[in-house]
Amino acid sequence: MIRTYDVVILGAGPAGLSAAIYAARSGFTTLVVEKSFPGGQIANAAHVENYPGFKDGVSGFDLGQFMHAQAEKTGAETLIAEALPFAPTADVEARRHLVTTSEGELRATAVIVATGARYRTLDVKGEIELVGKGVSYCATCDAPLYRGKRVAVVGGGDTALTDALELAAHATEVTIIHRREAFRASQALQRKVFDNPKIRFAWNSVVERIDGTAAVTGVHLRDTRDGIISEVPVDGVFVAVGSVPSTGFLGSVVSLDEAGCIITNEQMETGIAGVFAAGDVRHNSARQVITAAGDGATAALSARRYISSL
């Protein structure tokens, strides 16, 4: 039996849960589909200090749970399932999209895709074990935690250099680890990092492992030219080697940019009527919990206007 809703939201991160709160409060039957657990990637953050309303900060796990509890209190339902290939409706009269999941088929007048993106990892020993204990993928989120400490940034693009500059405002020393001997970042950013006395460089180097048990204590690097291993003592490692949007299940249904992110307008509308996108999964996302929540609210308000127009 196909279950029918006014709004189906794919993803229960801050964008999806914010959308659920707004959609349910508008009186729409609302279902959130999440393949793992509510909260999304923010649940991996040990301490969030840049989300309003928590003067002493809040754990990412707790923040995700608070959002989920609020969404359910407003009337949104949750389905733990994986979204499978998605088929927008071609039936103008029915005006309901078909959403296939691992737990069955759904129909919805409006669909909000908020499946997020995952950070690219280094796939080295110690990385996953020390996430939240010195390994981070967001300098904007965690830089203030490293005041007076030594940190490393892995990467050579705009994000890596921007992270290094942000970290240099707090840390005593920042080491940029890059596998080549030249950055691919913009020249303006390169000039800034080269001029910053707190920033040093580990050229032609890749991370072999991240050291530490309760917290990061250092990294082992391998020189890509001669294979020599060296050790750099640091208190934190910021990985900035890109991200992968969770859009594989969409195929060519909606327009994607070169990175695979969904292209939307400012109202979170895709090129398909009744299909919206919000949060890290969309093109030009700021990849912050507060902007994801704002995207979700905007998408739900756009969905409300769309449904009301039918």
Side-chain angles (χ1 to χ4, degrees), residues 60-241:
F61 179 82
D62 286 345
L63 182 58
Q65 294 303 301
F66 294 154
M67 290 181 174
H68 183 232
Q70 185 176 358
E72 290 201 322
K73 186 176 181 179
T74 59
E77 299 176 32
T78 304
L79 174 66
I80 302 301
E82 183 175 3
L84 300 174
F86 170 55
T89 184
D91 187 341
V92 177
E93 293 184 3
R95 298 194 180 190
R96 290 192 184 275
H97 302 292
L98 177 66
V99 179
T100 304
T101 77
S102 56
E103 295 296 319
E105 293 183 328
L106 309 167
R107 286 199 180 277
T109 305
V111 176
I112 299 174
V113 182
T115 44
R118 61 175 177 83
Y119 293 107
R120 291 187 189 275
T121 62
L122 302 175
D123 293 327
V124 298
K125 183 179 179 181
E127 180 180 13
I128 301 304
E129 295 88 340
L130 291 166
V131 168
K133 301 175 183 178
V135 173
S136 175
Y137 301 88
C138 180
T140 302
C141 311
D142 296 334
L145 302 177
Y146 291 86
R147 193 176 307 277
K149 297 183 179 182
R150 298 167 299 180
V151 298
V153 175
V154 185
D158 284 358
T159 298
L161 270 60
T162 300
D163 286 357
L165 290 167
E166 184 158 3
L167 286 159
H170 303 277
T172 57
E173 182 180 275
V174 179
T175 300
I176 302 178
I177 302 166
H178 187 44
R179 64 170 56 247
R180 300 180 181 86
E181 56 186 351
F183 293 129
R184 62 183 183 278
S186 69
Q187 290 299 313
L189 281 173
Q190 291 192 45
R191 286 193 294 270
K192 289 181 180 180
V193 297
F194 290 141
D195 289 342
N196 194 305
K198 287 187 178 182
I199 299 177
R200 58 187 298 270
F201 308 93
W203 301 108
N204 300 298
S205 298
V206 293
V207 177
E208 281 286 290
R209 76 169 191 255
I210 300 174
D211 302 320
T213 50
V216 168
T217 58
V219 291
H220 273 70
L221 304 182
R222 176 175 55 82
D223 192 300
T224 57
R225 298 162 299 182
D226 54 27
I228 292 176
I229 302 295
S230 61
E231 183 178 359
V232 179
V234 293
D235 303 296
V237 178
F238 286 77
V239 181
V241 292

Side-chain angles (χ1 to χ4, degrees), residues 14 39-64 66-67 132 136 138 140-145 288-290:
Q41 286 198 36
I42 193 63
N44 295 321
H47 197 65
V48 178
E49 293 187 323
N50 58 353
Y51 192 81
F54 299 92
K55 65 182 182 65
D56 297 318
V58 60
S59 79
F61 179 82
D62 286 345
L63 182 58
F66 294 154
M67 290 181 174
S136 175
C138 180
T140 302
C141 311
D142 296 334
L145 302 177
Q288 298 294 303
V289 61
I290 191 166

